[in-house]
Amino acid sequence: MGDLTGRTALVTGAGRGIGRAIALRLAADGARVGVHYGTSADAAAQTVAAIEAGGGQAFGFGAELGVPGDTAALWAAYDRHADGVDILVNNAGVLGGRTPYELLDAASYDHVFAVNTRAPFFLIQQGLSRLRDGGRIVNVSTRFTHGARNPDLLAYTMSKAALDALTATLAKQLGGRGITVNAVGPGATDTDMNAARLGTEQGRAEIAALSPLGRVATPDDIAAVVAFLASPDARWVTGQWIDASGGSLL
């Protein structure tokens, strides 16, 4: 507790899953957390309530990503609650379904890139004047960009690979301000996104077997890695993609 006292964090897609776990963890470490949601105000309110119940500080605000004017609307909503940001976590993302490459249509492809790639790009760009020196940017990527190929998730993987490229490039550009930029690559995690596969005994066993640790990741596992990158202890780590898949790429 206390490493992030006095700092303000913004976590996109923080109403559920990994985003909620990240928001809860950053708040537990002392940050005041902006809990962003796209369409589910109730879920974000539950995250805020959980933070406040634990003695932390948080505020919820909404802005749909992947539509025209999305990031400007997000910052406008955020600015009503805070006058700057120290930690920006680009967590919001869409899988876009598990669709064979041959059947993927242009509208689905465009939506995946609009949410997973374009939104973080312009959220950071438009947030630079708000991001304080010595700040942290953490982008939630995926293990699929580093050797774990799935042709039915090709658009998703491509969108996150672009996010990895953004991470490394911005780390060089923003280093002069003491701002670190890193990406975290989870594997299959016990969230709504993977509910169908994890809902069967066979599916859960298959996913658990991917990791030498022999279990399925929880959102808290990923949040702990993000919390480290957001902390003062990670001051000398930047431009990196951190494997948060439980060693599934070994």
Side-chain angles (χ1 to χ4, degrees):
M1 287 289 290
D3 284 346
L4 302 179
T5 299
R7 300 191 181 187
T8 303
L10 190 171
V11 183
T12 64
R16 59 188 178 90
I18 291 174
R20 173 178 287 183
I22 292 170
L24 289 169
R25 175 58 189 268
L26 295 181
D29 287 350
R32 179 175 182 244
V33 182
V35 176
H36 162 263
Y37 65 89
T39 57
S40 181
D42 289 344
Q46 292 170 15
T47 302
V48 171
I51 288 172
E52 293 177 340
Q57 301 179 64
F59 57 90
F61 65 100
E64 184 179 357
L65 297 179
V67 298
D70 51 1
T71 52
L74 189 153
W75 279 120
Y78 176 88
D79 289 343
R80 290 193 282 270
H81 300 273
D83 60 1
V85 64
D86 301 284
I87 301 161
L88 171 59
V89 182
N90 285 303
N91 164 76
V94 294
L95 197 62
R98 297 177 182 274
T99 306
Y101 168 67
E102 296 84 356
L103 301 179
L104 185 67
D105 61 80
S108 298
Y109 176 95
D110 288 344
H111 182 63
V112 168
F113 272 82
V115 176
N116 296 354
T117 308
R118 189 183 70 192
F121 181 99
F122 287 104
L123 190 64
I124 296 171
Q125 183 196 70
Q126 296 167 15
L128 288 179
S129 62
R130 300 168 172 89
L131 186 62
R132 287 184 270 268
D133 290 355
R136 302 282 187 266
I137 298 173
V138 183
N139 297 318
V140 178
S141 180
T142 175
R143 78 185 186 103
F144 289 118
T145 63
H146 282 67
R149 311 303 185 202
N150 184 334
D152 292 348
L153 294 176
L154 182 54
Y156 174 76
T157 302
M158 290 171 62
S159 72
K160 293 294 189 176
L163 191 63
D164 292 349
L166 178 69
T167 298
T169 303
L170 287 182
K172 295 195 71 171
Q173 182 170 347
L174 300 180
R177 294 179 53 193
I179 296 169
T180 66
V181 189
N182 292 288
V184 173
T189 306
D190 198 352
T191 66
D192 293 347
M193 186 178 286
N194 297 299
R197 190 173 180 189
L198 291 173
T200 68
E201 184 175 343
Q202 179 181 349
R204 179 169 288 271
E206 289 174 351
I207 290 177
L210 294 174
S211 168
L213 301 174
R215 65 174 178 84
V216 177
T218 68
D220 287 345
D221 292 327
I222 313 306
V225 180
V226 173
F228 164 69
L229 292 173
S231 76
D233 287 344
R235 59 190 175 275
W236 203 236
V237 180
T238 194
Q240 302 303 303
W241 180 89
I242 308 297
D243 181 359
S245 71
S248 68
L249 298 174
L250 297 175

